[in-house]
Amino acid sequence: MLGIREKGIQMRFSLLFSLAALAALAACTEPSPPPSATVQYATCEEPAERIIPADWAAEHLAEGSAYYEALFSPEAQQAVLDGPVVRVPHFTSSTDRQVELIREGRIFVDRRGDVVVLDAVDWSQNNHTYVSTQLHGFTAVGTLFAQHEEQQDEDVEQALMRLILNWGHCAAHNRDVNPRAWHEGTVMKRQSNLLHTLNYMRAHGPHDELTLTTLLYLIDAGATYLLDEPNVYSPGNHGIRQDMLLAATALSLPQHPRAGEMLELAESRLELAARRMFTEEGIWAEHAPGYVHYMVSLMSSTERLVDRQAGFNPQNFINNYHSSRSFLIDTALPDFSIPRIGRSGRRTIASSVARRAEIGRRLQALERSITIFHGYGHAVIRGDHPDGLYLHLTASHNFPARKRHADELSVLLFNHGRMWITEGGQHSTQRGGMTRYLRSAFAHNTYTLNGGYLDEHSAPELAVEITDSSSGRSGYRLEAFSERFEEPAAFTRTIHVDNDFSAIRMTDALSSEAPGEWEGRFHFPGDLEVVVDNQLVSVTDPETDRTMTLNFQSAQNLLFSTCNGERSPLCGWAQERNNAVPVTTLSWAFEGNNEISIEIAFE
């Protein structure tokens, strides 16, 4: 059983161990090849007999081998336990509810509320990739051990140690058990959480069942995978996290035979990322401010790993911290949230990145201004803080494409303390119709041509950029251009905001080489009331009776329509936290080249 207090749950693990085998495993300072039958806590149908394979043990646990002398001899293992407690990066957080779930024999694996019963873990389930990644990444382990290294809770400790043993027998040597088990992102999570387990053992001593020998073997297996597996490394935040984990492994186990190789590879790749993965302003170039926010946190964690004596100091990578952080603050909405651009859910900037008082002071300093990041392709016009106008323009094709949406020259509009023009966001990382819709041009405040749009992965050579800007007595002006369409075409959007921020004039010029059918869109939050009267659109907030009017003027006839929360076809949806919620989508369609003027005012 799990050793959970007197009300504990009867565990139904496959128990194929003997007292002699347990005694051998418990003697972590007396490593030896694993006995022939050591299956302990396994919930799969055909668990491996041993976690440490016999051939690996024969090579690395043999007295005199490099691994034995560095990690597995009695003297080496005592040195490991006495070794440095490194501030290992972790990607989850602990809550009281998660601790109580462990006591009840369950683990939390999904922010949407999914839990898994410990005595019935199905390592093969793959109907939700996020859940599978969390499960095989030992989220519960790192969640609790990372924050309880100074607190010992024997019931929770026993449950989590046995969870690791369960995985070792069911998945460590069965790459086919689940496609996510050895996905690089899962390996990274698991490596982090195994290193936190090592720190936990350093604080409380080795465990009777999950021996230090077995734990070190699993840590080595993760590091070896990240070092040697072909094509496992990918640019972007995933690659950065791999580098951080290789460095953390080497610094946690400086005596590891490949520690120097880990540090050298991690530092060289981080320095390469410093040259290739940031814009000219020093902003992390994954096109989603939420990922810039995440990267600021990763740069801070990387800085905590710097150890010049050990030979790890990726200073050029860390030097981009302040530029990326400044971008986040300078483009934050008046409510302190990150704009929902690309794969970014709107959320407040974390206090670990910037405290609210600092953000407030900066946004006040940016009152009545225009802020442009040409390399990143974002621009913001601000009125008075906090309830004044905020207009955000996106004109970028940053990489990697997975974080981008088809949102060229899309805008967001916030005023009088709330959002007035929003956009799709991303409902889920799961592939499906709603996710595809929310990533598409149909869910953004831009144009489609002939009923289609250019996928964000395609044609990186096609331009999208901020081309001009100015500010002065007449107001604030932005101009941006895009040729990112499936067919040869051009779209220029010019935005002018009056000096007193009472009116916005948006001029859209569209043309295509072949005659085409164009359709533009604006998305209004679902609680607003939208009325279309000829070419005048009124958008009212029922709570305040405040109204935004949009007056369209066009050389061509415009055909207006609206949709709200329609399923077939999908139309009128946006992300709200982790759910897709109905919004009102206003569409205007026309044929041929055209110039449209949209006057926006508030009453």
Side-chain angles (χ1 to χ4, degrees), residues 167 171-172 174-175 178-184 186-187 190 221-222 225:
W167 183 88
N174 181 4
R175 296 286 176 90
N178 191 314
R180 301 300 294 183
W182 288 90
H183 179 269
E184 58 85 19
T186 311
V187 174
R190 187 163 61 242
Y225 186 88

Side-chain angles (χ1 to χ4, degrees), residues 513-556:
E513 285 190 9
E517 296 180 359
W518 293 89
E519 190 169 10
R521 292 171 181 82
F522 281 148
H523 299 80
F524 309 117
D527 63 326
L528 298 178
E529 297 175 353
V530 181
V531 177
V532 180
D533 182 8
N534 196 10
Q535 296 194 124
L536 181 67
V537 180
S538 300
V539 183
T540 303
D541 181 351
E543 288 194 8
T544 64
D545 287 330
R546 192 178 298 278
T547 297
M548 175 179 69
T549 60
L550 301 92
N551 191 353
F552 287 76
Q553 300 293 326
S554 168
Q556 305 285 355

Side-chain angles (χ1 to χ4, degrees), residues 430-439 570:
Q430 296 296 104
R431 295 178 180 177
M434 183 62 77
T435 298
R436 287 193 298 271
Y437 169 77
L438 292 175
R439 293 173 63 97
L570 287 168

Side-chain angles (χ1 to χ4, degrees), residues 300-322:
S300 179
S301 295
T302 302
E303 187 170 30
R304 291 195 290 269
L305 289 172
V306 168
D307 188 328
R308 292 176 176 84
Q309 185 175 354
F312 183 68
N313 183 28
Q315 196 58 51
N316 289 327
F317 172 75
I318 296 167
N319 284 345
N320 290 293
Y321 170 88
H322 294 289

Side-chain angles (χ1 to χ4, degrees), residues 57-264:
E59 180 178 355
H60 297 299
L61 296 184
E63 187 171 351
S65 71
Y67 271 73
Y68 180 85
E69 299 302 325
L71 297 173
F72 296 115
S73 72
E75 298 79 11
Q77 294 214 330
Q78 188 58 53
V80 167
L81 292 174
D82 294 338
V85 176
V86 172
R87 297 179 69 177
V88 177
H90 63 93
F91 309 107
T92 50
S93 58
S94 177
T95 66
D96 292 339
R97 175 172 175 262
Q98 289 165 309
V99 175
E100 290 309 310
L101 283 171
I102 292 289
R103 295 186 186 287
E104 296 169 8
R106 298 184 294 164
I107 53 174
F108 175 90
V109 292
D110 183 15
R111 61 178 177 268
R112 298 170 183 83
D114 286 5
V115 295
V116 170
V117 178
L118 276 165
D119 66 350
V121 175
D122 180 6
W123 297 107
S124 66
Q125 78 89 14
N126 192 42
N127 59 347
H128 195 300
T129 57
Y130 179 85
V131 173
S132 298
T133 298
Q134 297 294 85
L135 187 60
H136 284 266
F138 297 159
T139 297
V141 173
T143 292
L144 297 171
F145 284 171
Q147 300 191 19
H148 293 77
E149 287 159 10
E150 301 306 318
Q151 291 180 338
Q152 188 170 21
D153 187 321
E154 293 183 358
D155 293 342
V156 172
E157 171 189 306
Q158 187 86 327
L160 295 180
M161 297 294 187
R162 290 181 175 183
L163 178 72
I164 296 172
L165 287 170
N166 187 349
W167 183 88
H169 286 296
C170 291
H173 309 295
N174 181 4
R175 296 286 176 90
D176 298 326
V177 68
N178 191 314
R180 301 300 294 183
W182 288 90
H183 179 269
E184 58 85 19
T186 311
V187 174
M188 173 274 302
K189 286 180 180 289
R190 187 163 61 242
Q191 189 74 358
S192 167
N193 295 329
L194 289 172
L195 291 173
H196 282 298
T197 305
L198 176 60
N199 281 344
Y200 187 90
M201 283 191 181
R202 283 169 167 161
H204 303 295
H207 192 256
D208 289 342
E209 294 170 351
L210 177 64
T211 66
L212 182 58
T213 296
T214 300
L215 177 61
L216 291 176
Y217 165 75
L218 292 175
I219 291 172
D220 176 78
T224 299
Y225 186 88
L226 295 177
L227 282 169
D228 298 341
E229 186 71 15
N231 304 317
V232 70
Y233 188 79
S234 62
N237 70 85
H238 280 247
I240 300 303
R241 288 184 290 176
Q242 287 186 32
D243 296 331
M244 294 169 67
L245 263 299
L246 283 175
T249 302
L251 296 172
S252 296
L253 296 170
Q255 62 274 71
H256 191 287
R258 302 185 72 181
E261 183 182 353
M262 295 179 210
L263 291 176
E264 182 179 355

Side-chain angles (χ1 to χ4, degrees), residues 441-442 447-454 485-486 517:
F442 300 117
Y447 286 83
T448 54
L449 175 60
N450 294 326
Y453 62 93
L454 189 65
F485 295 96
E486 292 179 307
E517 296 180 359

